[in-house]
Structure formats: structure tokens, C-alpha cells
Amino acid sequence: MKKELTRPQYLDLYFYMRLNRAVEDMMVKLFRQNKIVGGLYSSLGQEAISVGTAYALEKKDWLAPMIRNIGALLVKGVLPRDIFMQHMAKYDSPTKGKDGTSHFGDLDNLHIVSPISMLGDLIPVMTGVAMAGRYLGQKIVAMTWIGDGGSSTGVFHEGLNFAAVQRAPFVLILENNLWAYSTPVRKQVPLENLADRAKAYGIQSYIVDGNDVVAMYSTAKQAVERARAGEGPILIEAKTFRRMGHAQHDPAEYVPKEMRAYWEARDPIALYEKFLTGEKLLDAKGRKEIEEKINALLAKERDFAENSPMPPPELAETGVYCTGDDCHKIRAKWERPVAEVTPPRSRVEAVWTVPGFGSGKGSGGARAPIHFGDTPPVEHTIGNEAKSTNGRKPAAKVAPKKTVKPGAASASRKARR
Ligand SMILES: Cc1ncc(C[n+]2csc(CCOP(=O)(O)OP(=O)(O)O)c2C)c(N)n1
Ligand SMILES: [Mg+2]
């Protein structure tokens, strides 16, 4: 780990990782007491990823968590009581007891989009959020997470390609924890580094030790700033390990013992404590204070959650379908004049001008001839078109301006025979 943050920032990262773990430990107890009604997933050993990446976002930025990103929710400002109540399906929970896991968001204040269970679907959704922010002149970045398994879905590829083509200010964190349910990563993707998937879309990527919270934070910070500056989407692969089964029902006996032992010895919180102690940023007293703060907070939050009632039965038939403004209002926060960003002023000129199937811009930046089967050939002027290359390598040097007449090439070939 490299030293590059301020002391309060280092301690914040520690606090949130410990809080993330403590919230999940408490939920395991509530689960065993039959108080949790939904599925319970664990991010044990992956806390550095959720915390480090979400900590790189600004307040105005947007995120959408997946099942193992409770740490990101905490960093963004969600109260532990809301996470407890969601899992206990209580009336005071963000979804009023209609969901038993973490399918909730906060569009108005915290800028959190609810998770979508269909793996990969958050990628196009968050690309849309990123594009909307750009359209409204908000300079925001959108972030979401995906697993190694989720990175093999069709929508992962469609979504990332779309984000790349739109140069959306979007950062995708790929948590490669080596397992998708009971399938090891090697059995579902033939790549050593899943970050290589970025190459297919022409976007930048990073590979990071997912158990090193400082590395996670500083890489995510760089990616977020690059995306904000208009460099387009960025993919970060975090190498880590899923220490528990897929969910509470899964004892994960299929995981080799040596593999588990290797990763248990690389616990992200233990590694970070070692770093903080070595750098004299934390001592036994400071650690005890943080522990006490977390214990007191969680006891209060758990009591609140336990005292919240279950929803009344009548609630089941309400709020199933959106009924318009009395359900929820979505209003754009215009930061540029509305007339500027709506038609006719926002009309986009077509890139292609095809006079009688003429020519268009080739991927090398130059104008490329098009051959449309039996369409009569058109004369093409070869000359100075390779000037605008959009930052790409210019097309191969072309001969000085000259006109190619259709059939001229075949005529000279005939002459040579
Ligand atoms: C499109 C889709 N296919 C299958 C599932 C069922 N499913 C839920 S989680 C999961 C495994 C996900 O593994 P990975 O993406 O590696 O994430 P991890 O659980 O390791 O965090 C599967 C197959 C789903 N939710 N969505
Ligand atoms: Mg996985």
C-alpha cells in the first residue's frame, strides 16, 4: 500500500470497512434468529472494493450497487437501519417491506439506483444515467459493479459497447472473486484477466488488488476523474475472493481448502490495520474508539429496525404499478437552458452524407468508397480527407490529389497482360 491520502481519509476508509463487516455480521445473527426474511449475501473479504470505489465518488455522482456492495451504500450515506429493515421486510424500510433484500435506491438525495437482479442490466441503465447527467450539464459520473459471472452476460457486452460508443462518464467495477455460484471463473471465461474485455470496446481498464483498499480507492479516483473529464467509460477489474458461499444457504464445500486459506490470510481489514499501524495512523486506542463507535451505532440501528412493524396486509395491493405523479415524480434538474438541450436546437446532424450512395467516413478517419452491389459506381476524389483523424493514427499516406475513374484500374491491369 502506498501513502497518499490525508489521515482523516485513511481513517474513513477503515471506519467504513469495519462498519461494512459489522453490519453484515449483525445480519447473519438476525438471519439465524429468523428475523431476516429475504436472501442474505455476504461481502466478507470484499469490503475494500465497495468502500474504496464508492469513496472515490463525489456527492453529486451516482451509483447502483449489486448484492455484495453494502459497503458502497454505507459510504454513500445509507443508514444501517435501512439495510436491516430492508432485509427484515419492515414497514419503515425504503420499500415499506415489499422487498426482502437490498433492492432499494434513493433517486432524490443520495443518487442511488436500486439494484437489478438480472446480472448486467445495471450497465446500460447506469450508462443512461451518465449520459443524462452529461445532457443536463451536471458533470456527474455513474458507477456500478459486476461479478466475474455477470461479465459473461449478453447485456454486459451490449451495455459496455453502448457506453463506449457514447463515451459515457461511467466506471464499471468488475469484482473477480473467482466464483459465480459454484462455477469457478476458469470454467466460464477463457481469460486470465477479465479487464481484457475492455479491449473489445476500445476503452481503458485497470487491474487492482481488490483486497488493498488504498489501491482500490486511488485507482477508482483516477478512473472517476478521467471519466468526468470526458475520456469515456473505464473498466476496473478487482482481483479478490468470495469467502462465503453464494448466500446463506450455500456452505461452498466446492471451494478448495488451500484456496480459502490463501485468501483468508489476505483479509483486507487485517492488511489495512497492519498498514495503518505501520504508518502510525492508528494505534490500539484509536482502534478501540472506532470499534465502540460502530457497536453503539449498530445497537441503536438494530433496535430501531426490530421495533419497526411489519407492513399491514392491505399494503400488498398498493404501489405495484406506477400510477404517475401520485406514485413518484421524476423531474429533470435542468442546469442548462431547456431550449438548448431539446429539439430543434439539440438536433444532431447526421454524420453520413450520401449523395446517391456516395462515400462516408471510414473508421480510419478518411473518406472510404462504398460499394453497393449493382449501384452505379461514383467518382471518388482521393486527396486531403485524412486530415481529421479524431486522435487516431492517420490513414496511410495517399497520393496527391487525383481522380480515380471507374474502371481505370482494370484497364491498366488489362494493359499489363
Ligand atoms: C442474467 C442472470 N442470470 C443468472 C442469474 C442468477 N444468478 C444470480 S447471482 C449469480 C452468480 C453471480 O456470480 P458473479 O457474477 O461472479 O457474482 P458473485 O456472486 O460472485 O458476486 C447467478 C448466476 C441472474 N441473477 N441474472
Ligand atoms: Mg463471482
Side-chain angles (χ1 to χ4, degrees), residues 67-68 117-119 147-150 153 177 179-181 242 246:
I67 49 176
R68 303 192 204 283
S117 284
M118 279 59 77
L119 300 174
D148 42 288
T153 57
N177 63 9
W179 295 89
Y181 267 117
R242 195 195 69 202
H246 178 69

